[in-house]
Amino acid sequence: MRVKICGITQPQQSVAIASLGATALGFICVPTSPRYVTISQIQAAVADLTPNVDKIGVFANASLSEISQIVSSSGLTGVQLHGDEPPEFCDQLRHTLPNVEIIKAMRIRNVEHLAQATIYTPYIDTLLLDAYHPQQLGGTGKTIDWQILKQFRPSRPWLLAGGLTPDNIQEALSQVNPDGIDLSSGVEIKPGDKDLEKVALLFQKLGTGD
């Protein structure tokens, strides 16, 4: 299972989290976020990572040129769109960055929201389902109603996000069957400062409970 730890801000933590078992790390490129990192911070955080760790930049309603510039300067291997980007934008981004993974994050409030996710699948590589929050784009600690995801079988791989912690991950995975999981606030001391003991506990739980 793919495990993405998002909101990395410290280079030493990125290496430690990858060594514990994370297959993808997320870097927040949204200036209003408390977990925002600059290009130089991303460069420092990815410098010592092995090639098999995916390096995902998280953007919200950014322009194509801004995303392209940050991706090329930072060595990112993926782009996560967490704003109100329409499918057409995803398609344009695919042509602009043909060798970069495109992840579309959807903030799911109900079954109708879930149905909207499928319109993106022709234009992206991966879906990410996060909990809906009226003000915040992610990292809120809120969980989705896992019941509505039980029959979710999109034509693209998908990641479950939203309020996941080492304490509830086994329950979540007993109810839904994602291709991967994404955690941020659930393994933090404070925004951007990860709790390595919680990250280690997460992988212990995944090893015994999946």
Side-chain angles (χ1 to χ4, degrees):
M1 170 173 288
R2 193 176 189 191
V3 180
K4 175 171 171 273
I5 305 296
C6 204
I8 305 291
T9 61
Q10 302 176 29
Q12 69 275 20
Q13 289 192 348
S14 71
V15 175
I17 289 168
S19 67
L20 286 168
T23 58
L25 300 180
F27 301 94
I28 309 299
C29 303
V30 182
T32 54
S33 169
R35 300 173 183 88
Y36 172 69
V37 284
T38 63
I39 289 175
S40 60
Q41 285 176 296
I42 299 173
Q43 289 171 335
V46 306
D48 295 323
L49 293 175
T50 57
N52 62 327
V53 177
D54 299 324
K55 307 158 198 59
I56 312 295
V58 180
F59 298 85
N61 303 320
S63 66
L64 283 173
S65 59
E66 179 186 354
I67 295 173
S68 299
Q69 194 243 328
I70 292 174
V71 168
S72 61
S73 301
S74 305
L76 295 171
T77 62
V79 169
Q80 178 176 316
L81 300 173
H82 219 104
D84 304 311
E85 301 87 1
E88 297 77 18
F89 184 87
C90 301
D91 191 36
Q92 292 173 323
L93 187 61
R94 155 65 59 246
H95 289 93
T96 304
L97 299 171
N99 299 315
V100 170
E101 179 186 12
I102 297 177
I103 303 170
K104 181 68 182 89
M106 309 288 291
R107 289 173 287 154
I108 302 301
R109 185 164 26 179
N110 50 40
V111 176
E112 288 71 29
H113 271 189
L114 197 57
Q116 292 176 10
T118 59
I119 68 174
Y120 283 89
T121 53
Y123 310 105
I124 61 171
D125 300 296
T126 308
L127 275 169
L128 183 146
L129 302 187
D130 201 351
Y132 178 83
H133 188 284
Q135 281 85 39
Q136 293 173 255
L137 294 176
T140 63
K142 288 181 170 289
T143 57
I144 306 177
D145 178 2
W146 298 324
Q147 290 290 320
I148 67 174
L149 302 178
K150 280 192 171 184
Q151 304 304 319
F152 188 59
R153 300 286 186 276
S155 59
R156 289 281 188 267
W158 70 282
L159 306 178
L160 177 66
L164 298 176
T165 71
D167 295 327
N168 68 15
I169 193 63
Q170 290 173 323
E171 181 187 355
L173 295 178
S174 72
Q175 296 190 43
V176 296
N177 188 33
D179 298 285
I181 54 176
D182 181 293
L183 290 87
S184 181
S185 61
V187 287
E188 277 184 334
I189 299 167
K190 61 180 189 292
D193 184 7
K194 302 307 178 189
D195 186 330
L196 297 181
E197 290 184 5
K198 285 186 179 179
V199 177
L201 180 59
L202 170 72
F203 285 101
Q204 284 179 24
K205 293 288 184 74
L206 291 173
T208 57
D210 192 6

